[in-house]
Amino acid sequence: MSLPLSESAEAFLAENHVCTLTTVRPDGSPHVAPVRFTWDPDAGLARVMTAASRQKVRNLLAGPGSRVAVCQAAGPRWITLEGTATVSDDPQRVVEGARHYAKRYWSAPPSPAGLVVIEIAVDRAMGLC
């Protein structure tokens, strides 16, 4: 699915900003973590590279099919992308995630042991950018 975003939203999503990813803990409380993410408009995916041991990954594995939100803000401009998240350690998907990361952030992602990619099938976007 390709989510139609405005030209200004696409341009903002290409900028280098720290963002947040919100997942839900098994007890139902929100877990918000700073992340870097990439947006792939052709695939309709936001991707987050991380280690399998991180809380955000544990939250997603405990609740398959969980909805998440990734948010980027810079001054008065912001955008939130929402969708269903999956965690993958498939080498091809991890490499694809790393390729998008390097393109956006001009460097390879950190490579901790147990590198995985969180793929968010974005079906909702809101913002002011």
Side-chain angles (χ1 to χ4, degrees):
M1 171 187 159
S2 181
L3 187 69
L5 296 177
S6 69
E7 189 174 307
S8 63
E10 292 284 356
F12 184 54
L13 285 169
E15 294 176 13
N16 184 341
H17 298 289
V18 174
C19 309
T20 59
L21 174 68
T22 303
T23 60
V24 178
R25 292 183 183 98
D27 70 2
S29 64
H31 174 259
V32 181
V35 297
R36 287 180 153 189
F37 79 95
T38 61
W39 167 240
D40 180 347
D42 295 329
L45 291 175
R47 293 182 180 94
V48 175
M49 306 300 299
T50 191
S53 61
R54 299 291 188 186
Q55 182 66 49
K56 56 188 157 276
V57 172
R58 293 195 309 269
N59 293 343
L60 293 171
L61 293 176
S66 295
R67 290 192 58 82
V68 302
V70 64
C71 181
Q72 174 173 298
R77 299 179 305 150
W78 63 275
I79 190 163
T80 298
L81 304 176
E82 297 178 11
T84 304
T86 58
V87 177
S88 180
D89 62 359
D90 175 87
Q92 290 181 335
R93 292 168 86 171
V94 171
V95 165
E96 183 68 3
R99 184 180 72 77
H100 283 274
Y101 183 102
K103 182 179 177 184
R104 179 174 184 190
Y105 295 107
W106 304 339
S107 67
S111 55
L115 185 64
V116 297
V117 60
I118 297 171
E119 295 178 330
I120 304 161
V122 176
D123 58 20
R124 183 180 301 161
M126 63 189 111
L128 181 61
C129 49

